[in-house]
Amino acid sequence: DSGVTQTPKHLITATGQRVTLRCSPRSGDLSVYWYQQSLDQGLQFLIQYYNGEERAKGNILERFSAQQFPDLHSELNLSSLELGDSALYFCASSVAGDILAKNIQYFGAGTRLSVL
Amino acid sequence: AQKITQTQPGMFVQEKEAVTLDCTYDTSDQSYGLFWYKQPSSGEMIFLIYQGSYDEQNATEGRYSLNFQKARKSANLVISASQLGDSAMYFCAMREALNTDKLIFGTGTRLQVFP
């Protein structure tokens, strides 16, 4: 158990809908990362938050947004869903937001999103 | 830009044998870190081992070791005494750039351990 909690584990929804994925980082971790894993794109970084502030952005669509709350949990909001958004979405957390060589990211179990 | 290459889509190994999963990387940075993660069929991503570019010794974590050859830009994962529970996808990763924590991942290697 990595200590990172993601809910829900599975989500089935229809095109055009909006969903929210939730992540609770490991105790003491200030950084939260979101990744998307799909068959065609592999594992891709979406966005990082550190202590409530956006720190880095990757290939995140404009239809997607995220935030980190004062209690450090994070939510990833996906709207106007398309079939191609079906994927496994991971949250990871790490201790620091500084660029440390050994800043290990620990992943949650993922939320599997199916858009029908 | 950084790039990770895993050329073995699939590997088979017999239980109790050792297996090496290949990973090569491309970077122009002098300071960098390399990571290996395991993804069982259940889907979660499990951190296995880390190697820093300035680490003088190869990293080891239990049955996992990293064969780090800096000049060849390779960071192969060695699993000794394979177990059935080692059957999974294995991903090599590194930071996208020196000034970021974003990880970029290889395409993965599916390892199957047979009795």
Side-chain angles (χ1 to χ4, degrees):
Chain A
D1 186 353
S2 67
V4 179
T5 304
Q6 287 189 250
T7 56
K9 285 187 168 30
H10 302 277
L11 205 44
I12 301 174
T13 189
T15 54
Q17 295 299 304
R18 172 189 169 95
V19 297
T20 297
L21 282 52
R22 184 188 167 101
C23 169
S24 294
R26 296 187 320 154
S27 176
D29 284 359
L30 298 178
S31 262
V32 168
Y33 311 79
W34 287 96
Y35 291 85
Q36 179 195 58
Q37 185 179 32
S38 62
L39 285 175
D40 53 344
Q41 304 262 8
L43 264 159
Q44 288 207 311
F45 169 82
L46 294 178
I47 197 163
Q48 177 197 2
Y49 278 81
Y50 172 71
N51 205 19
E53 301 285 330
E54 182 183 304
R55 177 62 64 96
K57 229 171 181 175
N59 298 325
I60 187 166
L61 300 172
E62 285 190 13
R63 301 183 284 108
F64 296 1
S65 64
Q67 54 184 328
Q68 186 179 28
F69 294 87
D71 66 352
L72 300 177
H73 91 271
S74 177
E75 292 181 357
L76 179 67
N77 300 295
L78 314 177
S79 61
S80 302
L81 284 167
E82 301 175 0
L83 295 177
D85 298 328
S86 296
L88 185 54
Y89 290 84
F90 284 109
C91 169
S93 74
S94 69
V95 171
D98 296 335
I99 310 306
L100 302 175
K102 191 176 181 179
N103 190 20
I104 308 297
Q105 293 179 29
Y106 293 93
F107 282 69
T111 293
R112 188 168 296 281
L113 174 66
S114 298
V115 182
L116 305 178
Chain B
Q2 265 76 335
K3 186 180 177 183
I4 295 281
T5 302
Q6 294 181 257
T7 56
Q8 306 155 313
M11 290 284 286
F12 287 89
V13 66
Q14 191 167 30
E15 208 176 359
K16 298 180 187 175
E17 297 295 310
V19 62
T20 298
L21 306 183
D22 294 342
C23 171
T24 57
Y25 59 91
D26 189 17
T27 180
S28 55
D29 295 330
Q30 296 302 307
S31 176
Y32 51 89
L34 295 149
F35 307 79
W36 276 92
Y37 286 87
K38 171 184 177 182
Q39 186 176 34
S41 58
S42 50
E44 71 268 33
M45 291 285 287
I46 303 167
F47 167 72
L48 295 178
I49 196 166
Y50 166 84
Q51 179 80 45
S53 58
Y54 290 122
D55 293 341
E56 293 185 355
Q57 293 190 327
N58 287 341
T60 60
E61 290 284 350
R63 294 185 300 108
Y64 303 108
S65 61
L66 207 150
N67 184 359
F68 182 47
Q69 298 188 44
K70 200 169 179 177
R72 297 181 61 185
K73 294 189 174 178
S74 74
N76 299 337
L77 177 70
V78 180
I79 305 174
S80 62
S82 297
Q83 302 172 355
L84 296 178
D86 293 334
S87 295
M89 282 289 287
Y90 289 81
F91 292 93
C92 181
M94 73 183 300
R95 282 202 178 73
E96 187 187 68
L98 190 59
N99 61 347
T100 176
D101 270 334
K102 298 186 226 182
L103 291 180
I104 57 166
F105 288 83
T107 51
T109 296
R110 180 170 298 282
L111 176 66
Q112 294 190 55
V113 182
F114 59 95

